[in-house]
PDB file of all heavy atoms in Angstrom:
ATOM      1  N   THR A  20     -52.498   4.772  36.543  1.00  0.00           N
ATOM      2  CA  THR A  20     -51.709   3.649  36.032  1.00  0.00           C
ATOM      3  C   THR A  20     -50.525   3.389  36.958  1.00  0.00           C
ATOM      4  O   THR A  20     -49.726   4.264  37.230  1.00  0.00           O
ATOM      5  CB  THR A  20     -51.172   3.938  34.616  1.00  0.00           C
ATOM      6  OG1 THR A  20     -50.368   5.094  34.700  1.00  0.00           O
ATOM      7  CG2 THR A  20     -52.285   4.160  33.630  1.00  0.00           C
ATOM      8  N   GLN A  23     -47.718  -3.101  38.323  1.00  0.00           N
ATOM      9  CA  GLN A  23     -48.024  -4.199  39.231  1.00  0.00           C
ATOM     10  C   GLN A  23     -47.786  -5.523  38.529  1.00  0.00           C
ATOM     11  O   GLN A  23     -47.618  -5.588  37.322  1.00  0.00           O
ATOM     12  CB  GLN A  23     -49.461  -4.116  39.721  1.00  0.00           C
ATOM     13  CG  GLN A  23     -50.482  -4.171  38.620  1.00  0.00           C
ATOM     14  CD  GLN A  23     -51.884  -4.311  39.184  1.00  0.00           C
ATOM     15  OE1 GLN A  23     -52.444  -5.378  39.206  1.00  0.00           O
ATOM     16  NE2 GLN A  23     -52.440  -3.216  39.644  1.00  0.00           N
ATOM     17  N   THR A  24     -47.742  -6.570  39.320  1.00  0.00           N
ATOM     18  CA  THR A  24     -47.506  -7.887  38.739  1.00  0.00           C
ATOM     19  C   THR A  24     -48.716  -8.750  39.003  1.00  0.00           C
ATOM     20  O   THR A  24     -49.428  -8.552  39.961  1.00  0.00           O
ATOM     21  CB  THR A  24     -46.290  -8.557  39.376  1.00  0.00           C
ATOM     22  OG1 THR A  24     -46.565  -8.723  40.763  1.00  0.00           O
ATOM     23  CG2 THR A  24     -45.055  -7.743  39.185  1.00  0.00           C
ATOM     24  N   TRP A  70     -64.016 -11.631  19.801  1.00  0.00           N
ATOM     25  CA  TRP A  70     -64.343 -11.759  18.362  1.00  0.00           C
ATOM     26  C   TRP A  70     -64.319 -10.376  17.732  1.00  0.00           C
ATOM     27  O   TRP A  70     -65.153  -9.547  18.019  1.00  0.00           O
ATOM     28  CB  TRP A  70     -65.708 -12.419  18.274  1.00  0.00           C
ATOM     29  CG  TRP A  70     -66.429 -12.497  16.967  1.00  0.00           C
ATOM     30  CD1 TRP A  70     -67.558 -11.820  16.621  1.00  0.00           C
ATOM     31  CD2 TRP A  70     -66.140 -13.340  15.855  1.00  0.00           C
ATOM     32  NE1 TRP A  70     -67.982 -12.192  15.373  1.00  0.00           N
ATOM     33  CE2 TRP A  70     -67.122 -13.118  14.869  1.00  0.00           C
ATOM     34  CE3 TRP A  70     -65.121 -14.262  15.578  1.00  0.00           C
ATOM     35  CZ2 TRP A  70     -67.134 -13.787  13.655  1.00  0.00           C
ATOM     36  CZ3 TRP A  70     -65.138 -14.920  14.358  1.00  0.00           C
ATOM     37  CH2 TRP A  70     -66.133 -14.678  13.413  1.00  0.00           C
ATOM     38  N   ARG A  71     -63.345 -10.116  16.877  1.00  0.00           N
ATOM     39  CA  ARG A  71     -63.194  -8.775  16.272  1.00  0.00           C
ATOM     40  C   ARG A  71     -63.144  -8.894  14.749  1.00  0.00           C
ATOM     41  O   ARG A  71     -62.138  -8.587  14.118  1.00  0.00           O
ATOM     42  CB  ARG A  71     -61.888  -8.124  16.757  1.00  0.00           C
ATOM     43  CG  ARG A  71     -61.810  -7.909  18.238  1.00  0.00           C
ATOM     44  CD  ARG A  71     -62.382  -6.575  18.626  1.00  0.00           C
ATOM     45  NE  ARG A  71     -62.280  -6.382  20.053  1.00  0.00           N
ATOM     46  CZ  ARG A  71     -61.397  -5.595  20.643  1.00  0.00           C
ATOM     47  NH1 ARG A  71     -60.526  -4.933  19.922  1.00  0.00           N
ATOM     48  NH2 ARG A  71     -61.390  -5.460  21.938  1.00  0.00           N
ATOM     49  N   ASN A  74     -67.651  -6.758   9.517  1.00  0.00           N
ATOM     50  CA  ASN A  74     -68.923  -7.269   8.990  1.00  0.00           C
ATOM     51  C   ASN A  74     -68.732  -7.873   7.605  1.00  0.00           C
ATOM     52  O   ASN A  74     -69.224  -8.947   7.317  1.00  0.00           O
ATOM     53  CB  ASN A  74     -69.956  -6.149   8.925  1.00  0.00           C
ATOM     54  CG  ASN A  74     -70.398  -5.732  10.314  1.00  0.00           C
ATOM     55  OD1 ASN A  74     -70.600  -6.572  11.185  1.00  0.00           O
ATOM     56  ND2 ASN A  74     -70.512  -4.441  10.549  1.00  0.00           N
ATOM     57  N   ASP A  83     -56.555  -2.675  11.720  1.00  0.00           N
ATOM     58  CA  ASP A  83     -56.935  -1.790  12.838  1.00  0.00           C
ATOM     59  C   ASP A  83     -57.403  -2.612  14.035  1.00  0.00           C
ATOM     60  O   ASP A  83     -57.089  -2.292  15.187  1.00  0.00           O
ATOM     61  CB  ASP A  83     -58.043  -0.826  12.403  1.00  0.00           C
ATOM     62  CG  ASP A  83     -57.555   0.169  11.356  1.00  0.00           C
ATOM     63  OD1 ASP A  83     -56.324   0.305  11.214  1.00  0.00           O
ATOM     64  OD2 ASP A  83     -58.388   0.800  10.688  1.00  0.00           O
ATOM     65  N   GLU A  86     -54.505  -4.011  15.932  1.00  0.00           N
ATOM     66  CA  GLU A  86     -53.891  -2.959  16.768  1.00  0.00           C
ATOM     67  C   GLU A  86     -54.731  -2.723  18.018  1.00  0.00           C
ATOM     68  O   GLU A  86     -54.209  -2.570  19.123  1.00  0.00           O
ATOM     69  CB  GLU A  86     -53.770  -1.663  15.966  1.00  0.00           C
ATOM     70  CG  GLU A  86     -52.718  -1.730  14.869  1.00  0.00           C
ATOM     71  CD  GLU A  86     -52.660  -0.464  14.030  1.00  0.00           C
ATOM     72  OE1 GLU A  86     -53.568   0.381  14.161  1.00  0.00           O
ATOM     73  OE2 GLU A  86     -51.711  -0.318  13.251  1.00  0.00           O
ATOM     74  N   GLN A  87     -56.050  -2.686  17.842  1.00  0.00           N
ATOM     75  CA  GLN A  87     -56.940  -2.440  18.989  1.00  0.00           C
ATOM     76  C   GLN A  87     -56.874  -3.586  19.994  1.00  0.00           C
ATOM     77  O   GLN A  87     -56.926  -3.358  21.197  1.00  0.00           O
ATOM     78  CB  GLN A  87     -58.374  -2.241  18.505  1.00  0.00           C
ATOM     79  CG  GLN A  87     -58.588  -0.870  17.881  1.00  0.00           C
ATOM     80  CD  GLN A  87     -59.930  -0.759  17.177  1.00  0.00           C
ATOM     81  OE1 GLN A  87     -60.711  -1.699  17.148  1.00  0.00           O
ATOM     82  NE2 GLN A  87     -60.193   0.397  16.594  1.00  0.00           N
ATOM     83  N   ALA A  91     -56.012  -3.413  23.830  1.00  0.00           N
ATOM     84  CA  ALA A  91     -57.000  -3.883  24.813  1.00  0.00           C
ATOM     85  C   ALA A  91     -56.439  -4.997  25.687  1.00  0.00           C
ATOM     86  O   ALA A  91     -57.145  -5.541  26.526  1.00  0.00           O
ATOM     87  CB  ALA A  91     -58.252  -4.365  24.095  1.00  0.00           C
ATOM     88  N   ALA A  93     -54.998  -8.059  24.741  1.00  0.00           N
ATOM     89  CA  ALA A  93     -55.158  -9.469  24.342  1.00  0.00           C
ATOM     90  C   ALA A  93     -53.845 -10.219  24.574  1.00  0.00           C
ATOM     91  O   ALA A  93     -52.761  -9.666  24.396  1.00  0.00           O
ATOM     92  CB  ALA A  93     -55.555  -9.555  22.876  1.00  0.00           C
ATOM     93  N   ASP A 102     -56.088  -9.691   3.231  1.00  0.00           N
ATOM     94  CA  ASP A 102     -54.991  -9.257   2.370  1.00  0.00           C
ATOM     95  C   ASP A 102     -53.722  -9.337   3.213  1.00  0.00           C
ATOM     96  O   ASP A 102     -53.512  -8.518   4.113  1.00  0.00           O
ATOM     97  CB  ASP A 102     -55.239  -7.829   1.871  1.00  0.00           C
ATOM     98  CG  ASP A 102     -54.104  -7.295   1.006  1.00  0.00           C
ATOM     99  OD1 ASP A 102     -53.030  -7.920   0.960  1.00  0.00           O
ATOM    100  OD2 ASP A 102     -54.290  -6.235   0.372  1.00  0.00           O
ATOM    101  N   ASN A 104     -50.594  -8.690   2.769  1.00  0.00           N
ATOM    102  CA  ASN A 104     -49.680  -7.547   2.838  1.00  0.00           C
ATOM    103  C   ASN A 104     -50.204  -6.452   3.750  1.00  0.00           C
ATOM    104  O   ASN A 104     -49.453  -5.774   4.433  1.00  0.00           O
ATOM    105  CB  ASN A 104     -49.455  -6.963   1.439  1.00  0.00           C
ATOM    106  CG  ASN A 104     -48.667  -7.910   0.564  1.00  0.00           C
ATOM    107  OD1 ASN A 104     -47.831  -8.663   1.068  1.00  0.00           O
ATOM    108  ND2 ASN A 104     -48.939  -7.898  -0.726  1.00  0.00           N
ATOM    109  N   LYS A 105     -51.510  -6.280   3.724  1.00  0.00           N
ATOM    110  CA  LYS A 105     -52.103  -5.182   4.484  1.00  0.00           C
ATOM    111  C   LYS A 105     -52.029  -5.418   5.996  1.00  0.00           C
ATOM    112  O   LYS A 105     -51.918  -4.475   6.765  1.00  0.00           O
ATOM    113  CB  LYS A 105     -53.570  -5.032   4.040  1.00  0.00           C
ATOM    114  CG  LYS A 105     -54.265  -3.791   4.505  1.00  0.00           C
ATOM    115  CD  LYS A 105     -53.870  -2.560   3.756  1.00  0.00           C
ATOM    116  CE  LYS A 105     -54.506  -2.477   2.398  1.00  0.00           C
ATOM    117  NZ  LYS A 105     -53.965  -1.371   1.611  1.00  0.00           N
ATOM    118  N   ASP A 112     -46.309  -5.732  14.601  1.00  0.00           N
ATOM    119  CA  ASP A 112     -46.366  -4.831  15.765  1.00  0.00           C
ATOM    120  C   ASP A 112     -46.887  -5.578  16.992  1.00  0.00           C
ATOM    121  O   ASP A 112     -46.408  -5.367  18.105  1.00  0.00           O
ATOM    122  CB  ASP A 112     -47.270  -3.629  15.471  1.00  0.00           C
ATOM    123  CG  ASP A 112     -46.606  -2.649  14.509  1.00  0.00           C
ATOM    124  OD1 ASP A 112     -45.389  -2.771  14.301  1.00  0.00           O
ATOM    125  OD2 ASP A 112     -47.316  -1.771  13.973  1.00  0.00           O
ATOM    126  N   ASN A 116     -44.924  -6.441  20.545  1.00  0.00           N
ATOM    127  CA  ASN A 116     -45.481  -6.072  21.851  1.00  0.00           C
ATOM    128  C   ASN A 116     -45.702  -7.294  22.743  1.00  0.00           C
ATOM    129  O   ASN A 116     -46.381  -7.206  23.762  1.00  0.00           O
ATOM    130  CB  ASN A 116     -46.805  -5.331  21.671  1.00  0.00           C
ATOM    131  CG  ASN A 116     -46.567  -3.861  21.405  1.00  0.00           C
ATOM    132  OD1 ASN A 116     -46.147  -3.128  22.283  1.00  0.00           O
ATOM    133  ND2 ASN A 116     -46.799  -3.440  20.175  1.00  0.00           N
ATOM    134  N   GLN A 168     -60.972 -11.298  -4.949  1.00  0.00           N
ATOM    135  CA  GLN A 168     -59.811 -11.435  -5.832  1.00  0.00           C
ATOM    136  C   GLN A 168     -58.497 -11.105  -5.130  1.00  0.00           C
ATOM    137  O   GLN A 168     -57.433 -11.384  -5.651  1.00  0.00           O
ATOM    138  CB  GLN A 168     -59.969 -10.565  -7.092  1.00  0.00           C
ATOM    139  CG  GLN A 168     -60.047  -9.085  -6.850  1.00  0.00           C
ATOM    140  CD  GLN A 168     -61.474  -8.611  -6.770  1.00  0.00           C
ATOM    141  OE1 GLN A 168     -62.325  -9.267  -6.162  1.00  0.00           O
ATOM    142  NE2 GLN A 168     -61.768  -7.469  -7.350  1.00  0.00           N
ATOM    143  N   ASN A 169     -58.565 -10.481  -3.942  1.00  0.00           N
ATOM    144  CA  ASN A 169     -57.332 -10.094  -3.243  1.00  0.00           C
ATOM    145  C   ASN A 169     -56.871 -11.148  -2.234  1.00  0.00           C
ATOM    146  O   ASN A 169     -55.832 -10.977  -1.614  1.00  0.00           O
ATOM    147  CB  ASN A 169     -57.545  -8.766  -2.507  1.00  0.00           C
ATOM    148  CG  ASN A 169     -57.877  -7.657  -3.485  1.00  0.00           C
ATOM    149  OD1 ASN A 169     -57.131  -7.427  -4.417  1.00  0.00           O
ATOM    150  ND2 ASN A 169     -59.002  -6.999  -3.294  1.00  0.00           N
ATOM    151  N   GLN A 174     -56.414 -17.215  -4.553  1.00  0.00           N
ATOM    152  CA  GLN A 174     -55.553 -17.151  -5.742  1.00  0.00           C
ATOM    153  C   GLN A 174     -54.768 -18.450  -5.894  1.00  0.00           C
ATOM    154  O   GLN A 174     -54.616 -18.984  -6.989  1.00  0.00           O
ATOM    155  CB  GLN A 174     -54.602 -15.960  -5.635  1.00  0.00           C
ATOM    156  CG  GLN A 174     -55.311 -14.623  -5.801  1.00  0.00           C
ATOM    157  CD  GLN A 174     -54.463 -13.456  -5.349  1.00  0.00           C
ATOM    158  OE1 GLN A 174     -53.315 -13.624  -4.961  1.00  0.00           O
ATOM    159  NE2 GLN A 174     -55.036 -12.267  -5.375  1.00  0.00           N
TER     160      GLN A 174
ATOM    161  N   VAL B  34     -56.927  -2.005  31.614  1.00  0.00           N
ATOM    162  CA  VAL B  34     -56.325  -3.067  30.811  1.00  0.00           C
ATOM    163  C   VAL B  34     -54.854  -3.219  31.221  1.00  0.00           C
ATOM    164  O   VAL B  34     -54.171  -2.224  31.458  1.00  0.00           O
ATOM    165  CB  VAL B  34     -56.460  -2.739  29.298  1.00  0.00           C
ATOM    166  CG1 VAL B  34     -55.762  -1.459  28.925  1.00  0.00           C
ATOM    167  CG2 VAL B  34     -55.940  -3.872  28.457  1.00  0.00           C
ATOM    168  N   ARG B  37     -48.505  -5.359  28.952  1.00  0.00           N
ATOM    169  CA  ARG B  37     -47.304  -6.108  29.288  1.00  0.00           C
ATOM    170  C   ARG B  37     -46.058  -5.270  28.997  1.00  0.00           C
ATOM    171  O   ARG B  37     -46.001  -4.541  28.010  1.00  0.00           O
ATOM    172  CB  ARG B  37     -47.233  -7.396  28.462  1.00  0.00           C
ATOM    173  CG  ARG B  37     -48.034  -8.521  29.043  1.00  0.00           C
ATOM    174  CD  ARG B  37     -48.051  -9.709  28.110  1.00  0.00           C
ATOM    175  NE  ARG B  37     -48.686  -9.374  26.849  1.00  0.00           N
ATOM    176  CZ  ARG B  37     -50.008  -9.321  26.682  1.00  0.00           C
ATOM    177  NH1 ARG B  37     -50.803  -9.581  27.682  1.00  0.00           N
ATOM    178  NH2 ARG B  37     -50.525  -9.009  25.524  1.00  0.00           N
ATOM    179  N   THR B  52     -40.788 -10.206  36.769  1.00  0.00           N
ATOM    180  CA  THR B  52     -40.569  -9.709  38.122  1.00  0.00           C
ATOM    181  C   THR B  52     -41.110 -10.752  39.099  1.00  0.00           C
ATOM    182  O   THR B  52     -41.651 -11.768  38.676  1.00  0.00           O
ATOM    183  CB  THR B  52     -41.247  -8.334  38.300  1.00  0.00           C
ATOM    184  OG1 THR B  52     -40.902  -7.823  39.584  1.00  0.00           O
ATOM    185  CG2 THR B  52     -42.756  -8.443  38.184  1.00  0.00           C
ATOM    186  N   VAL B  63     -46.690  -6.242  34.354  1.00  0.00           N
ATOM    187  CA  VAL B  63     -47.728  -5.545  33.580  1.00  0.00           C
ATOM    188  C   VAL B  63     -47.994  -4.175  34.204  1.00  0.00           C
ATOM    189  O   VAL B  63     -47.706  -3.954  35.377  1.00  0.00           O
ATOM    190  CB  VAL B  63     -49.060  -6.340  33.536  1.00  0.00           C
ATOM    191  CG1 VAL B  63     -48.907  -7.629  32.784  1.00  0.00           C
ATOM    192  CG2 VAL B  63     -49.613  -6.572  34.925  1.00  0.00           C
ATOM    193  N   MET B  65     -51.173  -1.517  34.681  1.00  0.00           N
ATOM    194  CA  MET B  65     -52.625  -1.353  34.535  1.00  0.00           C
ATOM    195  C   MET B  65     -52.918   0.089  34.104  1.00  0.00           C
ATOM    196  O   MET B  65     -52.350   1.031  34.654  1.00  0.00           O
ATOM    197  CB  MET B  65     -53.339  -1.621  35.865  1.00  0.00           C
ATOM    198  CG  MET B  65     -53.178  -3.043  36.361  1.00  0.00           C
ATOM    199  SD  MET B  65     -53.743  -4.292  35.192  1.00  0.00           S
ATOM    200  CE  MET B  65     -55.509  -4.029  35.265  1.00  0.00           C
ATOM    201  N   ARG B  66     -53.804   0.240  33.116  1.00  0.00           N
ATOM    202  CA  ARG B  66     -54.156   1.595  32.680  1.00  0.00           C
ATOM    203  C   ARG B  66     -55.573   1.625  32.133  1.00  0.00           C
ATOM    204  O   ARG B  66     -56.143   0.580  31.792  1.00  0.00           O
ATOM    205  CB  ARG B  66     -53.170   2.101  31.629  1.00  0.00           C
ATOM    206  CG  ARG B  66     -53.105   1.206  30.429  1.00  0.00           C
ATOM    207  CD  ARG B  66     -52.017   1.658  29.510  1.00  0.00           C
ATOM    208  NE  ARG B  66     -52.114   0.973  28.236  1.00  0.00           N
ATOM    209  CZ  ARG B  66     -51.468   1.346  27.172  1.00  0.00           C
ATOM    210  NH1 ARG B  66     -50.685   2.397  27.186  1.00  0.00           N
ATOM    211  NH2 ARG B  66     -51.591   0.679  26.053  1.00  0.00           N
ATOM    212  N   LYS B  80     -55.773   7.998  14.475  1.00  0.00           N
ATOM    213  CA  LYS B  80     -55.260   7.403  13.222  1.00  0.00           C
ATOM    214  C   LYS B  80     -56.389   6.726  12.446  1.00  0.00           C
ATOM    215  O   LYS B  80     -56.528   6.923  11.238  1.00  0.00           O
ATOM    216  CB  LYS B  80     -54.154   6.394  13.558  1.00  0.00           C
ATOM    217  CG  LYS B  80     -53.440   5.768  12.373  1.00  0.00           C
ATOM    218  CD  LYS B  80     -54.095   4.536  11.834  1.00  0.00           C
ATOM    219  CE  LYS B  80     -53.978   3.372  12.783  1.00  0.00           C
ATOM    220  NZ  LYS B  80     -54.719   2.179  12.266  1.00  0.00           N
ATOM    221  N   PHE B 182     -58.501  -3.057 -10.483  1.00  0.00           N
ATOM    222  CA  PHE B 182     -58.408  -4.520 -10.498  1.00  0.00           C
ATOM    223  C   PHE B 182     -57.629  -5.007 -11.712  1.00  0.00           C
ATOM    224  O   PHE B 182     -56.785  -5.903 -11.613  1.00  0.00           O
ATOM    225  CB  PHE B 182     -59.808  -5.153 -10.463  1.00  0.00           C
ATOM    226  CG  PHE B 182     -59.749  -6.653 -10.506  1.00  0.00           C
ATOM    227  CD1 PHE B 182     -59.134  -7.364  -9.494  1.00  0.00           C
ATOM    228  CD2 PHE B 182     -60.281  -7.346 -11.575  1.00  0.00           C
ATOM    229  CE1 PHE B 182     -59.050  -8.746  -9.536  1.00  0.00           C
ATOM    230  CE2 PHE B 182     -60.204  -8.731 -11.626  1.00  0.00           C
ATOM    231  CZ  PHE B 182     -59.591  -9.428 -10.604  1.00  0.00           C
ATOM    232  N   GLY B 187     -55.755  -8.312  -9.182  1.00  0.00           N
ATOM    233  CA  GLY B 187     -56.244  -8.812  -7.900  1.00  0.00           C
ATOM    234  C   GLY B 187     -55.164  -9.015  -6.844  1.00  0.00           C
ATOM    235  O   GLY B 187     -55.452  -9.366  -5.717  1.00  0.00           O
ATOM    236  N   SER B 189     -52.245  -7.807  -4.253  1.00  0.00           N
ATOM    237  CA  SER B 189     -51.887  -6.575  -3.557  1.00  0.00           C
ATOM    238  C   SER B 189     -50.409  -6.290  -3.791  1.00  0.00           C
ATOM    239  O   SER B 189     -49.608  -7.211  -3.950  1.00  0.00           O
ATOM    240  CB  SER B 189     -52.253  -6.657  -2.076  1.00  0.00           C
ATOM    241  OG  SER B 189     -51.308  -7.377  -1.377  1.00  0.00           O
ATOM    242  N   LYS B 202     -45.390   6.149   9.070  1.00  0.00           N
ATOM    243  CA  LYS B 202     -45.567   5.360  10.300  1.00  0.00           C
ATOM    244  C   LYS B 202     -44.448   5.702  11.289  1.00  0.00           C
ATOM    245  O   LYS B 202     -43.917   4.824  11.980  1.00  0.00           O
ATOM    246  CB  LYS B 202     -45.589   3.865   9.963  1.00  0.00           C
ATOM    247  CG  LYS B 202     -46.400   3.069  10.981  1.00  0.00           C
ATOM    248  CD  LYS B 202     -46.495   1.610  10.635  1.00  0.00           C
ATOM    249  CE  LYS B 202     -47.200   0.867  11.762  1.00  0.00           C
ATOM    250  NZ  LYS B 202     -47.256  -0.569  11.513  1.00  0.00           N
ATOM    251  N   GLU B 208     -44.991   3.739  20.786  1.00  0.00           N
ATOM    252  CA  GLU B 208     -46.070   3.239  19.916  1.00  0.00           C
ATOM    253  C   GLU B 208     -47.114   4.291  19.570  1.00  0.00           C
ATOM    254  O   GLU B 208     -48.307   4.015  19.545  1.00  0.00           O
ATOM    255  CB  GLU B 208     -46.786   2.051  20.567  1.00  0.00           C
ATOM    256  CG  GLU B 208     -45.897   0.869  20.840  1.00  0.00           C
ATOM    257  CD  GLU B 208     -46.544  -0.059  21.853  1.00  0.00           C
ATOM    258  OE1 GLU B 208     -47.721  -0.393  21.671  1.00  0.00           O
ATOM    259  OE2 GLU B 208     -45.881  -0.404  22.837  1.00  0.00           O
ATOM    260  N   TYR B 279     -48.834   3.715   5.810  1.00  0.00           N
ATOM    261  CA  TYR B 279     -49.095   3.125   7.122  1.00  0.00           C
ATOM    262  C   TYR B 279     -49.175   1.597   7.040  1.00  0.00           C
ATOM    263  O   TYR B 279     -48.578   0.895   7.844  1.00  0.00           O
ATOM    264  CB  TYR B 279     -50.385   3.691   7.720  1.00  0.00           C
ATOM    265  CG  TYR B 279     -50.532   3.326   9.185  1.00  0.00           C
ATOM    266  CD1 TYR B 279     -49.974   4.132  10.176  1.00  0.00           C
ATOM    267  CD2 TYR B 279     -51.165   2.153   9.574  1.00  0.00           C
ATOM    268  CE1 TYR B 279     -50.063   3.785  11.509  1.00  0.00           C
ATOM    269  CE2 TYR B 279     -51.252   1.792  10.907  1.00  0.00           C
ATOM    270  CZ  TYR B 279     -50.703   2.615  11.869  1.00  0.00           C
ATOM    271  OH  TYR B 279     -50.780   2.260  13.196  1.00  0.00           O
ATOM    272  N   TYR B 280     -49.942   1.101   6.065  1.00  0.00           N
ATOM    273  CA  TYR B 280     -50.154  -0.353   5.990  1.00  0.00           C
ATOM    274  C   TYR B 280     -49.151  -1.047   5.066  1.00  0.00           C
ATOM    275  O   TYR B 280     -49.066  -2.267   5.047  1.00  0.00           O
ATOM    276  CB  TYR B 280     -51.584  -0.657   5.534  1.00  0.00           C
ATOM    277  CG  TYR B 280     -52.619  -0.155   6.521  1.00  0.00           C
ATOM    278  CD1 TYR B 280     -53.328   1.010   6.272  1.00  0.00           C
ATOM    279  CD2 TYR B 280     -52.861  -0.833   7.701  1.00  0.00           C
ATOM    280  CE1 TYR B 280     -54.264   1.490   7.180  1.00  0.00           C
ATOM    281  CE2 TYR B 280     -53.789  -0.362   8.611  1.00  0.00           C
ATOM    282  CZ  TYR B 280     -54.486   0.798   8.343  1.00  0.00           C
ATOM    283  OH  TYR B 280     -55.400   1.266   9.249  1.00  0.00           O
ATOM    284  N   SER B 282     -49.062  -1.475   1.801  1.00  0.00           N
ATOM    285  CA  SER B 282     -49.505  -2.184   0.591  1.00  0.00           C
ATOM    286  C   SER B 282     -50.716  -1.482  -0.012  1.00  0.00           C
ATOM    287  O   SER B 282     -51.390  -0.702   0.660  1.00  0.00           O
ATOM    288  CB  SER B 282     -49.858  -3.640   0.901  1.00  0.00           C
ATOM    289  OG  SER B 282     -51.138  -3.728   1.464  1.00  0.00           O
ATOM    290  N   ASP B 287     -58.990  -1.935  -1.681  1.00  0.00           N
ATOM    291  CA  ASP B 287     -58.836  -0.891  -0.660  1.00  0.00           C
ATOM    292  C   ASP B 287     -60.048   0.039  -0.628  1.00  0.00           C
ATOM    293  O   ASP B 287     -60.617   0.371  -1.671  1.00  0.00           O
ATOM    294  CB  ASP B 287     -57.584  -0.050  -0.946  1.00  0.00           C
ATOM    295  CG  ASP B 287     -56.314  -0.786  -0.551  1.00  0.00           C
ATOM    296  OD1 ASP B 287     -56.427  -1.901  -0.010  1.00  0.00           O
ATOM    297  OD2 ASP B 287     -55.220  -0.245  -0.790  1.00  0.00           O
ATOM    298  N   ILE B 331     -66.257  -1.962  20.800  1.00  0.00           N
ATOM    299  CA  ILE B 331     -65.222  -2.934  21.152  1.00  0.00           C
ATOM    300  C   ILE B 331     -64.809  -2.770  22.623  1.00  0.00           C
ATOM    301  O   ILE B 331     -64.740  -3.729  23.373  1.00  0.00           O
ATOM    302  CB  ILE B 331     -64.001  -2.757  20.214  1.00  0.00           C
ATOM    303  CG1 ILE B 331     -64.397  -3.148  18.789  1.00  0.00           C
ATOM    304  CG2 ILE B 331     -62.826  -3.585  20.691  1.00  0.00           C
ATOM    305  CD1 ILE B 331     -63.415  -2.747  17.732  1.00  0.00           C
ATOM    306  N   GLN B 337     -70.101  -7.801  18.582  1.00  0.00           N
ATOM    307  CA  GLN B 337     -69.826  -7.162  17.282  1.00  0.00           C
ATOM    308  C   GLN B 337     -70.983  -7.302  16.292  1.00  0.00           C
ATOM    309  O   GLN B 337     -71.124  -6.492  15.386  1.00  0.00           O
ATOM    310  CB  GLN B 337     -68.585  -7.785  16.667  1.00  0.00           C
ATOM    311  CG  GLN B 337     -67.308  -7.492  17.407  1.00  0.00           C
ATOM    312  CD  GLN B 337     -66.802  -6.112  17.098  1.00  0.00           C
ATOM    313  OE1 GLN B 337     -66.313  -5.855  16.022  1.00  0.00           O
ATOM    314  NE2 GLN B 337     -66.942  -5.203  18.021  1.00  0.00           N
TER     315      GLN B 337
END
Side-chain angles (χ1 to χ4, degrees):
Chain A
T20 60
Q23 60 171 259
T24 62
W70 170 250
R71 299 271 181 104
N74 290 319
D83 293 344
E86 289 177 349
Q87 284 170 0
D102 178 348
N104 291 329
K105 192 76 77 188
D112 287 346
N116 276 290
Q168 63 265 42
N169 298 305
Q174 289 165 3
Chain B
V34 61
R37 277 174 298 280
T52 186
V63 294
M65 297 303 290
R66 58 187 191 166
K80 185 272 290 176
F182 179 63
S189 80
K202 207 177 175 183
E208 299 162 49
Y279 192 88
Y280 297 102
S282 80
D287 284 357
I331 293 167
Q337 293 282 287

